[in-house]
Amino acid sequence: MYSSLNPEILRELRRPRSYPAVSLAMTTHRRPPDDAQDPVRLGNLVDDAVRQLDADPGVTKERREDVLKHLRAAVQEADLVHAKDGLVLFAAPGEHQVWAIDREVPARVVVADTFLTRNLVAADAAAHPYWVLSVAADRITLWDGRGNRVVEDTGHGFPQSRSLEDDDVERKERVGDVPSTYRDEATRQFFREADGILAELLRAEPRPLYVTGEPAALSLLTESGTAAHGSAQVPFGGLSHGRADAVARAVAPARTADAERETAEALADLDRARGANTYAAGVDEVWQEAADGRIRRLVVEENFRVTVRAGEGHLAPAADGDLDAVHDIVDEIVESALETGAQVVFVADGTLAEAGHIAAALRF
């Protein structure tokens, strides 16, 4: 199962597929007793997909069997025992994918010539993805952070490691020429190489960066290049050889401070936008501005969900059981905003109560 989205993966998911491409989404449950019905709900959605394919005259028998084979394979791969908050399955001729995400998603089956990605995009934005680089003289490790969860990333040129043994150390000791570890030229070169790899990563996948290490290691990394300039430095050593949970705990205070600062800046920006008449609030108004590509900064409460019916240029409240309702309109707004280059900030529930739980600062 997949759980981490990056620009390359998103581009691949969004490319056109041979019809029919099936997207199946549902909320899942982490704990009993709610999780007991997840397999039943998943089976019902698969049955719905089968009915849609059977009723579609544009789907040949061979193409139908191919897609259903991959859809059933995706169901087999879905790990409902260790479920997160949402599950998304994709199946198309010759391929399938399974995604477990930390965000509830409305139950739905969509048959089209592309996969439905907005729930993945919104879940990724809400997770506040970040990088952690843990530096030491002998090992530099990269960690992929999403919310409170951190895992080691080994797919972008890290970890980098080297031996600290010096074959000529006895002679250097005799003549008094043994530099400290972080003044040694080999260590400097090691950090310069890591800086180059880090710079390439941040160009491809820009995220907030936290750097952990002993003060001398942090200082040397800053001197060795520019990739880590502007990062949050966490003077905590030993994590380049450490565990993911220890890394998460070490950067938690810095992440909390950044989140508080980001929220304060976003709210201040909304106040300025209100005074300049470049402000939108409420799901209907913000949805229209997102569709027009006018949003510069979108601010939305973390768990805000609303069911609506899309009319002619506006949204109207709808009941959850309404067959014409759109259940993931907030995710759609988030994806639209990100696609047009807007910054998206998730804030604590209740922060935007007077604005209808969602607001935006506009470009014009």
Side-chain angles (χ1 to χ4, degrees):
M1 290 200 302
Y2 294 89
S3 60
S4 298
L5 194 65
N6 63 39
E8 182 179 350
I9 291 175
L10 184 57
R11 283 193 296 271
E12 166 60 21
L13 284 174
R14 282 177 167 167
R15 69 172 175 80
R17 258 64 186 184
S18 297
Y19 187 84
V22 176
S23 301
L24 185 156
M26 61 178 282
T27 292
T28 50
H29 302 85
R30 297 175 184 259
R31 288 175 292 276
D34 296 328
D35 62 344
Q37 291 300 310
D38 286 348
V40 176
R41 297 186 184 99
L42 179 56
N44 291 339
L45 289 175
V46 171
D47 290 343
D48 186 12
V50 172
R51 285 191 294 270
Q52 290 192 41
L53 293 176
D54 285 344
D56 192 333
V59 180
T60 65
K61 179 180 178 181
E62 293 77 10
R63 189 63 62 84
R64 171 186 175 277
E65 291 304 318
D66 185 8
V67 172
L68 288 180
K69 178 185 72 174
H70 282 282
L71 181 58
R72 291 179 178 121
V75 171
Q76 291 298 314
E77 293 175 17
D79 185 0
L80 295 178
V81 175
H82 302 95
K84 295 186 176 183
D85 299 311
L87 178 69
V88 180
L89 307 184
F90 297 128
E95 63 174 321
H96 66 271
Q97 288 190 22
V98 181
W99 284 80
I101 58 177
D102 296 315
R103 187 174 174 88
E104 294 183 3
V105 296
R108 65 187 305 166
V109 174
V110 176
V111 180
D113 57 3
T114 58
F115 290 142
L116 185 73
T117 60
R118 62 193 185 213
N119 300 123
L120 302 186
V121 171
D124 186 71
H128 305 284
Y130 56 93
W131 298 116
V132 182
L133 192 75
S134 296
V135 296
D138 62 336
R139 183 178 173 87
I140 300 178
T141 309
L142 179 70
W143 307 88
D144 181 348
R146 294 168 190 272
N148 295 323
R149 179 173 175 268
V150 171
V151 296
E152 185 176 355
D153 185 295
T154 59
H156 293 93
F158 293 100
Q160 292 285 303
S161 60
R162 72 184 186 107
S163 173
L164 294 181
E165 294 182 4
D166 188 341
D167 295 335
D168 198 28
V169 71
E170 290 186 4
R171 182 193 65 80
K172 291 179 178 179
E173 287 176 343
R174 287 196 301 271
V175 299
D177 190 28
V178 181
S180 68
T181 303
Y182 292 106
R183 288 192 293 110
D184 179 73
E185 180 55 33
T187 305
R188 292 177 178 275
Q189 180 59 31
F190 180 57
F191 274 48
R192 282 194 289 269
E193 292 171 359
D195 177 83
I197 299 171
L198 178 63
E200 184 176 342
L201 168 66
L202 294 178
R203 282 193 296 269
E205 296 185 45
R207 300 183 191 176
L209 173 66
Y210 300 87
V211 183
T212 75
E214 298 175 0
L218 298 176
S219 178
L220 179 57
L221 183 67
T222 302
E223 295 172 8
S224 300
T226 60
H229 289 184
S231 65
Q233 295 197 347
V234 180
F236 195 116
L239 296 178
S240 59
H241 294 274
R243 292 160 43 105
D245 57 346
V247 175
R249 287 194 300 271
V251 301
R255 286 185 52 244
T256 298
D258 283 350
E260 292 173 351
R261 181 168 53 253
E262 183 180 50
T263 296
E265 290 175 355
L267 296 179
D269 193 18
L270 291 178
D271 284 340
R272 290 191 295 270
R274 190 182 291 108
N277 293 320
T278 54
Y279 173 79
V283 66
D284 187 23
E285 188 175 341
V286 172
W287 172 71
Q288 294 180 53
E289 301 295 359
D292 292 339
R294 295 183 61 196
I295 293 179
R296 175 173 54 79
R297 176 179 278 172
L298 174 68
V299 188
V300 57
E301 293 181 2
E302 290 179 351
N303 296 301
F304 177 50
R305 292 287 187 279
V306 61
T307 301
V308 298
R309 186 187 299 109
E312 295 183 2
H314 68 91
L315 302 176
D320 288 339
D322 190 332
L323 295 179
D324 295 325
V326 181
H327 297 268
D328 55 355
I329 194 66
V330 176
D331 287 359
E332 181 179 317
I333 292 170
V334 169
E335 184 178 45
S336 296
L338 289 170
E339 282 183 341
T340 55
Q343 180 189 12
V344 176
V345 179
F346 285 85
V347 297
D349 293 347
T351 304
L352 299 173
E354 295 182 358
H357 312 290
I358 186 170
L362 308 179
R363 293 189 171 95
F364 55 90

